[in-house]
Amino acid sequence: MSDNTTELRSRVNSLMPQITTDLETLVAIPSVSIAGYPESTHAGLAAAEQEVTRIFADAGIEQFDTINLPGTAPIVFGEIPAPPGAPTVLMYGHYDVVGAGDESLWETKPFEPTRIGDAIHGRGTADTKGNIVACAGALRAWGGRPPVGIKVVVEGLEEVGGGAFTNYPQTDRDRFASDVMVIADMGNLRPGTPTLTVGLRGMANVSVEVRTLASGKHSGQYGGAAPDALLALMRGLASLHDDSGDVAVAGLQRDPWTRGGTTEEEFRSLAEVADGVPLIGTGSLGERIWTGPAITVIGVDVPSVDNALNAVSPYARAKLNVRVHPEQDPLEAQEAIIRHLRNVMPFGIELTVTGLETGRGYAARIDGPVYDIARSVWSDAWQADTVYIGAGGSIPLVSSLHEAAPNADILLVGVTDGFSNIHGPNERVLLDEVERTTLAIADFFGRLGARADA
């Protein structure tokens, strides 16, 4: 560990009361985003945007230029010009959160940040207001004058797809030009394990419909010969996987994962798999959840059991969420799913298959000096070996930022850990993880700047 790291560690530790207060202030703002940016969400998002601006201004950013796009919450954009010859680091986050859901499942009030031991509980503590204060804290550790240029981008509709901002960066390349991007919307595999996410799966949604009759028909009179739409749909959906649970659709990319990661026991615990129920699929967990495809039936329109009639179903519909290898074009993957389902023809019945939303994945370039620095910095901050993981989910803006600045190295990092329960009840962040993330980002600025001076 360098002397500079030791000094930064002391500075960050002394800043933790302020960082914690900033986090609690942000979490207390119910900045829940809803698709379409309706007026009912304006107040919470506007309050969060103003607080984020205040936090970064207090951390040393003097130049702000809010980005306002149609139907999109205000985007905080601020910068600190780079010293002569120094690289520029763009830091990204989002101030919006998902809703609390069923509040009866929460042990604390979701928008009343509550300290329990070394954790703060509340919606958005980990996803991703903890990352916002860690990025600001890293600037504070340098007295607001880091040895690199800084650009800060914090949006307010990430949880619902980003709105008009998702495809904006590539239309304004100069604004987003940078040498390195710190995407602060991720975190560690588990507490105490420094983690760099090096791949994000893409996404391709698909709708499947089948109509066989003009209306439902009495199952006693017609069942056995009348084509059952629900049965046909179920048979078509079942063809998407083999008997082991692996995706059985030709044309979807899958590669081995050789960098380690979570254990099956840990995965079962995190996924809350019921006792005695096996996991599906074959191969390593990394292959199944990071570098292989996944097809999930996320919605089905069928008669409910409680209101069921003795009738042959005339119509059924399902929505599929397809997760795609980080390097595969999601439109190519979507077309493979559509082609497969159109060719299935269960009982000779044609399925109507429609492509829906898509999102590109991302695969990091990990061979090079930036990742060498990052591995060293994250290891020093946690005093443990840094690990690589992939992520099954996607961050809508990453591929757009990558297109805007294709030569920039991208680090996917943050304060979250596998047990933070983001998007669920009782979300929490460990203050130790916040402190170490703040230190890592600050130290990364220092070592990246020193390399430019060498």
Side-chain angles (χ1 to χ4, degrees), residues 348-389:
I349 297 168
E350 182 178 349
L351 304 178
T352 300
V353 193
T354 306
L356 303 174
E357 311 92 339
T358 64
R360 296 194 69 87
Y362 175 74
R365 301 187 299 258
I366 62 175
D367 297 324
V370 168
Y371 264 81
D372 289 343
I373 293 171
R375 280 192 299 271
S376 179
V377 163
W378 259 255
S379 294
D380 284 350
W382 273 264
Q383 298 183 308
D385 291 338
T386 296
V387 302
Y388 287 147
I389 65 169

Side-chain angles (χ1 to χ4, degrees), residues 53-393:
T53 301
R54 183 201 67 77
I55 288 171
F56 277 107
D58 189 58
I61 291 184
E62 298 176 355
Q63 300 178 19
F64 286 96
D65 180 20
T66 302
I67 302 172
N68 290 295
L69 300 173
T72 301
I75 298 129
V76 177
F77 182 87
E79 59 184 315
I80 299 173
T88 293
V89 178
L90 183 150
M91 297 191 292
Y92 163 84
H94 62 89
Y95 58 79
D96 65 316
V97 299
V98 298
D102 184 353
E103 293 194 25
S104 69
L105 300 176
W106 285 74
E107 297 173 1
T108 64
K109 296 286 187 181
F111 294 106
E112 292 182 11
T114 305
R115 178 80 174 261
I116 302 176
D118 188 40
I120 295 181
H121 291 242
R123 174 60 81 224
T125 50
D127 185 22
T128 193
K129 293 175 178 180
N131 284 319
I132 291 172
V133 299
C135 289
L139 295 179
R140 286 196 176 102
W142 285 98
R145 292 295 177 265
V148 294
I150 295 293
K151 292 183 178 180
V152 170
V153 181
V154 187
E155 65 167 314
L157 289 187
E158 190 274 346
E159 296 291 6
V160 290
F165 189 46
T166 301
N167 296 312
Y168 176 76
Q170 59 266 48
T171 70
D172 194 359
R173 294 174 185 267
D174 288 345
R175 183 191 294 270
F176 299 96
S178 51
D179 300 285
V180 181
M181 297 184 187
V182 174
I183 307 298
D185 194 13
M186 301 300 293
N188 294 336
L189 188 61
R190 63 185 70 86
T193 301
T195 303
L196 299 175
T197 299
V198 297
L200 299 171
R201 282 198 294 195
M203 182 194 74
N205 287 344
V206 173
S207 170
V208 191
E209 298 182 62
V210 56
R211 184 176 295 279
T212 56
L213 307 169
S215 63
K217 296 298 179 182
H218 193 290
S219 59
Q221 290 180 302
Y222 297 95
D228 186 321
L230 178 54
L231 196 59
L233 177 66
M234 292 169 61
R235 198 172 181 93
L237 297 180
S239 73
L240 296 169
H241 295 82
D242 64 19
D243 290 342
S244 297
D246 288 319
V247 172
V249 176
L252 297 184
Q253 187 174 341
R254 173 172 172 161
D255 288 328
W257 177 266
T258 59
R259 299 190 177 101
T262 187
T263 65
E264 182 170 318
E265 180 181 9
E266 187 174 45
F267 181 85
R268 292 180 65 88
S269 174
L270 289 169
E272 298 184 298
V273 179
D275 291 343
V277 176
L279 302 184
I280 67 170
T282 61
S284 72
L285 274 175
E287 259 181 83
R288 283 180 272 176
I289 63 175
W290 296 333
T291 55
I295 303 175
T296 303
V297 181
I298 59 173
V300 182
D301 291 335
V302 296
S304 69
V305 172
D306 290 341
N307 298 310
L309 300 174
N310 293 329
V312 179
S313 293
Y315 173 79
R317 180 175 68 154
K319 183 175 182 179
L320 310 180
N321 176 251
V322 183
R323 296 293 170 164
V324 180
H325 186 286
E327 296 178 321
Q328 184 166 26
D329 184 337
L331 291 174
E332 176 185 76
Q334 185 179 67
E335 183 55 37
I337 300 287
I338 293 172
R339 184 168 56 249
H340 174 96
L341 287 169
R342 285 177 178 168
N343 289 338
V344 167
M345 299 289 289
F347 313 117
I349 297 168
E350 182 178 349
L351 304 178
T352 300
V353 193
T354 306
L356 303 174
E357 311 92 339
T358 64
R360 296 194 69 87
Y362 175 74
R365 301 187 299 258
I366 62 175
D367 297 324
V370 168
Y371 264 81
D372 289 343
I373 293 171
R375 280 192 299 271
S376 179
V377 163
W378 259 255
S379 294
D380 284 350
W382 273 264
Q383 298 183 308
D385 291 338
T386 296
V387 302
Y388 287 147
I389 65 169

